[in-house]
Amino acid sequence: MSLDESPCAELVVAGRDQVATNVVVLTLLRPDGGDLPGWTPGAHVDLELGADLVRQYSLCGDPADRTALHVAVQLEPDGRGGSRQVHERLKPGATVRVRGPRNNFELVPAQRYLFIAGGIGITPIRPMVAAADAAGADWRLVYGGRSRATMAFAAGLREKYGDRVSLYPQDETGLLDLDGLLAPPCDGLVYCCGPEPLIDAVQQRCRAWPPGTLHVERFTPVAIADGDETAVEVELARTGRTLTVPPGTSILAAVEAAGVQVLSSCREGTCGTCETPVLAGVPEHRDSLLTEEERAVGDTMMICVSRSRTPRLTLEL
């Protein structure tokens, strides 16, 4: 069974472990004990935590284990409420509606990797490290956090992989030396996940590197500069309908208002749930997922945030 065969599937919280300050790992099982869908390193699931409250969390367990899904959730006291719901409500025995897994952060086969994790950004990186090690690749993990107590999985990773794992608690070592880490030449792939300042700093240092070298995953959307926004016509190829999407209304909202069902989750261009093929027209990409190369091709877009550079778009909806 794939969890995507229906809008959501109900899973049971079978375990809950504190793995760092304000970080818990949930173990999620099917109520009937059956197998869960397969996934690959970098994948995430959506947790439906309440009315209009859906959050994405990376899977941090073993992809070979089809009996359980594991997600690590850091409490964000000043966040938007999702992590607070997890920490307060999802105790062993509780149920939660789950969609996925999906993967927008695939581990591309390579001979050499540099993994850079900041804080809870270790969650998708952890299974990537295991996969790279199992494949016999040359790899290194650089993992920074505010303090050792806040760094989930740090001790276990260091114990298992030794000197391949470098830990940098900020209160002991200061910020990561990105200039030293990312000094050219680059002869492998770089995977980075963590807070926005870390990702921005890594991207700045990798701008001149070959396309496809750097892979990142964000928790929050990239800021988009305000600009003039005009109405756009959107043709829905499957239904033959054409909608006019006014300024200030997302394409997703207009499509939903017309009665067309589209899977969506974050509505801010970070999860990839609403990714839609583009059959004609040129998208104006405002998401935080697609690479520059994918944007240049222009054959897909996140309709929750992106608009159009042409007066008309034709979408496979």
Side-chain angles (χ1 to χ4, degrees):
M1 181 193 81
S2 167
L3 298 185
D4 276 331
E5 289 176 0
S6 60
C8 283
E10 197 97 354
L11 299 185
V12 177
V13 179
R16 172 181 165 127
D17 299 297
Q18 188 94 26
V19 295
T21 301
N22 288 336
V23 180
V24 296
V25 171
L26 303 182
T27 299
L28 305 175
L29 306 180
R30 281 178 52 172
D32 62 5
D35 281 352
L36 289 157
W39 58 279
T40 54
H44 71 268
V45 292
D46 302 340
L47 300 189
E48 187 177 285
L49 301 169
D52 299 321
L53 185 61
V54 180
R55 294 292 182 265
Q56 295 75 45
Y57 297 105
S58 297
L59 294 170
C60 61
D62 179 2
D65 179 8
R66 297 290 297 274
T67 66
L69 298 176
H70 302 272
V71 295
V73 181
Q74 177 175 278
L75 177 63
E76 300 287 354
D78 299 323
R80 296 172 297 164
S83 67
R84 190 162 54 250
Q85 283 290 317
V86 170
H87 278 251
E88 293 177 357
R89 185 171 66 83
L90 295 188
K91 307 293 176 64
T95 60
V96 61
R97 293 171 66 81
V98 180
R99 183 186 299 147
R102 284 188 308 279
N103 201 335
N104 304 309
F105 193 39
E106 290 275 5
L107 183 66
V108 177
Q111 294 183 335
R112 186 169 290 105
Y113 299 96
L114 171 61
F115 298 108
I116 303 174
I120 198 63
I122 191 62
T123 51
I125 299 294
R126 186 187 188 215
M128 289 184 176
V129 163
D133 194 68
D138 181 12
W139 62 270
R140 180 186 179 193
L141 167 62
V142 177
Y143 178 15
R146 293 189 302 274
S147 67
R148 289 183 187 271
T150 66
M151 296 170 66
F153 312 120
L157 287 166
R158 178 72 178 183
E159 180 179 351
K160 183 174 183 178
Y161 299 114
D163 290 343
R164 284 190 168 189
V165 176
S166 299
L167 303 178
Y168 291 92
Q170 187 176 342
D171 61 349
E172 299 176 24
T173 64
L175 297 175
L176 297 178
D177 177 18
L178 296 180
D179 289 328
L181 284 172
L182 301 172
C186 172
D187 57 354
L189 300 183
V190 179
Y191 279 79
C192 177
C193 185
E196 194 64 23
L198 172 64
I199 293 178
D200 285 345
V202 170
Q203 285 185 316
Q204 289 172 12
R205 288 161 176 79
C206 296
R207 291 195 188 282
W209 290 16
T213 299
L214 176 61
H215 300 257
V216 303
E217 183 167 66
R218 288 180 159 84
F219 303 136
T220 56
V222 175
I224 301 295
D226 292 334
D228 293 336
E229 193 169 279
T230 59
V232 59
E233 286 192 341
V234 176
E235 179 184 352
L236 310 182
R238 292 180 184 175
T239 65
R241 299 182 63 182
T242 298
L243 310 176
T244 298
V245 183
T249 299
S250 71
I251 294 174
L252 173 62
V255 168
E256 289 177 330
V260 178
Q261 295 296 314
V262 179
L263 281 180
S264 65
S265 181
C266 72
R267 295 179 179 262
E268 58 184 16
T270 59
C271 75
T273 308
C274 70
E275 184 172 3
T276 302
V278 178
L279 305 180
V282 180
E284 179 186 311
H285 297 290
R286 301 181 180 181
D287 66 276
S288 304
L289 284 167
L290 296 176
T291 65
E292 291 304 317
E293 294 76 23
E294 291 168 333
R295 292 180 177 214
V297 172
D299 61 355
T300 187
M301 66 185 296
M302 309 303 162
I303 61 173
C304 64
V305 292
S306 298
R307 290 188 72 81
S308 180
R309 297 187 181 277
T310 50
R312 185 181 181 94
L313 284 174
T314 301
L315 302 179
E316 191 175 304
L317 289 174

